[in-house]
């Protein structure tokens, strides 16, 4: 099955700086890569996703890049704000919605 | 976007009792739903895939007789934790395929505490 590794496990950034989280996956058949933001005790919220037919996608301050050859994808948050503090999960799936999640990254934005 | 409702949000029970968690898709039909378990400060681990009208598919290491899943309609899946023990205490969360492209929608989760 799919194995997703996520780094770093924790990330502390100064407000206004950028944050980058990286994930690798093992199954070359995976073609859908969503990113979720989860606050304590709450449901994961989809913040951005990318399919394997594109290399980059951007939505305001959030961008995701995908390198299918290397089997890795990254989340980039620019101009971080305190409300960006949360746990972020990457995930991958070979098109059947059966997501395999990374271990998560706890992001802390220092004011 | 689609809404997935999950109840209860929190349950505290005594060891040995059974607990039922409901997951409903409110404005769409969900042929497939997924059940995850999340321990504190850990990732979401898929427990099983729930298919309407057929038996659930369990992930390796998940006891199907302990975690009973029923998906009797296109809008409701239930997870019953039978004879719960303290080690079953966890955050249980469901998700459903929304049919809006490759989008999964999550329920609000259930925090189970077994005393």
């Amino acid at each position: 099955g799919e194995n997703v590794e996520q780094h770093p496990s924790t990330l502390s950034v100064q407000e206004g700086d950028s944050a980058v989280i990286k994930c690798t996956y093992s199954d070359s058949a995976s073609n859908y890569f969503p990113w979720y933001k989860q606050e304590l005790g709450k449901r994961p919220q989809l913040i951005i996703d990318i399919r394997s037919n594109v290399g980059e996608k951007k939505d305001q301050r959030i961008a995701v890049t995908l390198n299918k050859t290397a089997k890795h994808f990254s989340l980039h948050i620019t101009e971080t704000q305190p409300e960006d503090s949360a746990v972020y999960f990457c995930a991958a799936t070979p098109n059947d919605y059966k997501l395999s999640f990374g271990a998560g990254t706890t992001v802390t934005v220092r004011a | 976007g689609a809404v997935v409702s999950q109840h209860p949000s929190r349950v505290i029970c005594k060891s040995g009792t059974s607990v039922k968690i409901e997951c409903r898709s409110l404005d769409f039909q969900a042929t497939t739903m997924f059940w995850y378990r999340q321990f504190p400060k850990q990732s979401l681990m898929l427990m099983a895939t729930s298919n309407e009208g057929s038996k659930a598919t369990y992930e390796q290491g998940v006891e199907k007789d302990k975690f009973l899943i029923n998906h009797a309609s296109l809008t409701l899946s239930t997870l019953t934790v039978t004879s719960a023990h303290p080690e079953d205490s966890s955050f249980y969360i469901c998700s459903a395929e929304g049919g809006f492209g490759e989008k999964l929608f999550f329920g609000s989760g259930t925090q189970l505490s077994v005393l």
Side-chain angles (χ1 to χ4, degrees):
Chain A
E2 176 63 275
N3 180 46
V4 179
E5 294 192 357
Q6 182 173 346
H7 298 281
S9 57
T10 61
L11 181 59
S12 179
V13 297
Q14 189 70 37
E15 182 177 1
D17 288 349
S18 296
V20 180
I21 304 171
K22 297 182 179 181
C23 290
T24 60
Y25 61 99
S26 61
D27 188 349
S28 57
S30 286
N31 60 4
Y32 177 59
F33 308 91
W35 285 88
Y36 291 89
K37 175 183 180 182
Q38 187 182 30
E39 297 178 357
L40 189 63
K42 301 289 181 61
R43 77 185 82 194
Q45 298 277 3
L46 178 69
I47 56 171
I48 197 167
D49 56 9
I50 191 168
R51 291 191 55 79
S52 58
N53 57 346
V54 297
E56 185 174 358
K57 185 177 179 180
K58 188 174 182 180
D59 182 4
Q60 299 183 334
R61 297 187 297 109
I62 296 173
V64 57
T65 59
L66 170 66
N67 183 326
K68 282 220 72 176
T69 303
K71 290 192 280 192
H72 65 70
F73 55 114
S74 301
L75 177 72
H76 304 252
I77 307 174
T78 59
E79 300 173 26
T80 54
Q81 301 168 4
E83 52 264 38
D84 294 329
S85 297
V87 181
Y88 292 80
F89 292 98
C90 62
T93 179
N95 215 20
D96 63 355
Y97 310 101
K98 191 174 166 181
L99 293 176
S100 295
F101 285 88
T105 298
T106 301
V107 174
T108 303
V109 180
R110 307 186 306 272
Chain B
V3 177
V4 176
S5 174
Q6 187 173 340
H7 292 282
S9 59
R10 180 178 293 273
V11 59
I12 301 172
C13 68
K14 293 182 179 180
S15 185
T17 60
S18 293
V19 175
K20 179 184 283 189
I21 303 170
E22 292 187 348
C23 181
R24 293 180 184 273
S25 56
L26 297 186
D27 50 2
F28 66 100
Q29 294 183 331
T31 306
T32 303
M33 291 185 176
F34 301 90
W35 286 96
Y36 293 85
R37 180 167 52 183
Q38 186 177 31
F39 292 109
K41 297 186 178 181
Q42 294 190 22
S43 188
L44 289 86
M45 299 301 297
L46 180 66
M47 298 175 66
T49 303
S50 172
N51 300 296
E52 187 269 335
S54 64
K55 292 183 178 180
T57 303
Y58 290 83
E59 295 299 301
Q60 191 173 9
V62 178
E63 300 174 60
K64 61 181 181 180
D65 293 331
K66 181 169 184 61
F67 300 100
L68 301 179
I69 291 172
N70 184 282
H71 195 155
S73 77
L74 286 171
T75 59
L76 174 65
S77 176
T78 61
L79 168 68
T80 301
V81 183
T82 62
S83 186
H85 291 284
E87 58 266 29
D88 299 323
S89 299
S90 184
F91 189 62
Y92 292 87
I93 191 163
C94 66
S95 69
E97 174 194 337
F100 302 98
E102 288 81 21
K103 304 295 185 188
L104 274 180
F105 298 92
F106 283 88
S108 52
T110 298
Q111 183 63 52
L112 172 63
S113 299
V114 185
L115 305 178

